[in-house]
Amino acid sequence: MRSRMQAGTLTLLLAFWTFIWLGIPDGLRGVAWEDMRRTFDVPIDALGVMLTASTVGYLTSSFISGWLASRYGMGMFLLFSNLLRGVGLIGYAIAPSWWTLIAFNVLFGLGGGGIDAGLNAYVAAYYSAGRMNLLHACFGIGATIGPIIMTAVLSLGESWQWGYAAVGLLQFVIMLTFV
């Protein structure tokens, strides 16, 4: 019985940790956007295209998350969602063109929507409303940390790509925890 409680606590802590990482890239984008648009020589309103691409991916995976999780299991579904998100983040760092960046935004959104829907469903099914509130507070922690990370990267004289590369690599570490 005790080991089952410990496993439940570890799973909940993993969900909290993952939601922190779910929020971090949202904060990166706000600080990096001006440098990103200069890199790709796009107008300021091109951000709308970028956000639309990630939203399409996010909503798509959110809509099919229940079916995918029931077919492949929640663990495998979350592992794959984290993989997509990590590829999307690394893709930000290596994208050679604007339209490549947009394609990576779709992958990023697919991964994020899967993580969000999957962990929300899991926490709702097995934990209290208070735990669900903590889960969403963790997203806010991540969204607060993201700008700090990108500001630090830019303050060191590095390009915005380094901030995305670092967060993307750490996303793969989180992915491994779902193994």
Side-chain angles (χ1 to χ4, degrees), residues 29-50:
R29 186 181 294 134
V31 175
W33 173 241
E34 188 59 32
D35 289 339
M36 292 172 80
R37 74 174 203 84
R38 274 192 298 244
T39 298
F40 296 109
D41 193 29
V42 295
I44 197 163
D45 62 342
L47 179 60
V49 174
M50 193 171 154

Side-chain angles (χ1 to χ4, degrees), residues 46-68:
L47 179 60
V49 174
M50 193 171 154
L51 294 172
T52 300
S54 60
T55 300
V56 166
Y58 198 94
L59 292 175
T60 300
S61 64
S62 294
F63 289 146
I64 62 172
S65 65
W67 178 78
L68 289 171

Side-chain angles (χ1 to χ4, degrees), residues 29 36 50 88-95 101 105 108 160 164:
R29 186 181 294 134
M36 292 172 80
M50 193 171 154
L89 287 165
I90 295 297
Y92 276 44
I94 64 170
L101 182 72
N105 264 276
F108 172 77
W160 61 268
Y164 277 101

Side-chain angles (χ1 to χ4, degrees), residues 14-38:
L14 176 59
F16 291 164
W17 180 244
T18 304
F19 250 64
I20 289 171
W21 282 95
L22 191 64
I24 287 175
D26 289 349
L28 294 178
R29 186 181 294 134
V31 175
W33 173 241
E34 188 59 32
D35 289 339
M36 292 172 80
R37 74 174 203 84
R38 274 192 298 244

Side-chain angles (χ1 to χ4, degrees), residues 99-122:
W99 293 109
T100 306
L101 182 72
I102 297 304
F104 280 117
N105 264 276
V106 174
L107 292 178
F108 172 77
L110 283 167
I115 293 166
D116 190 7
L119 288 177
N120 270 300
Y122 180 81

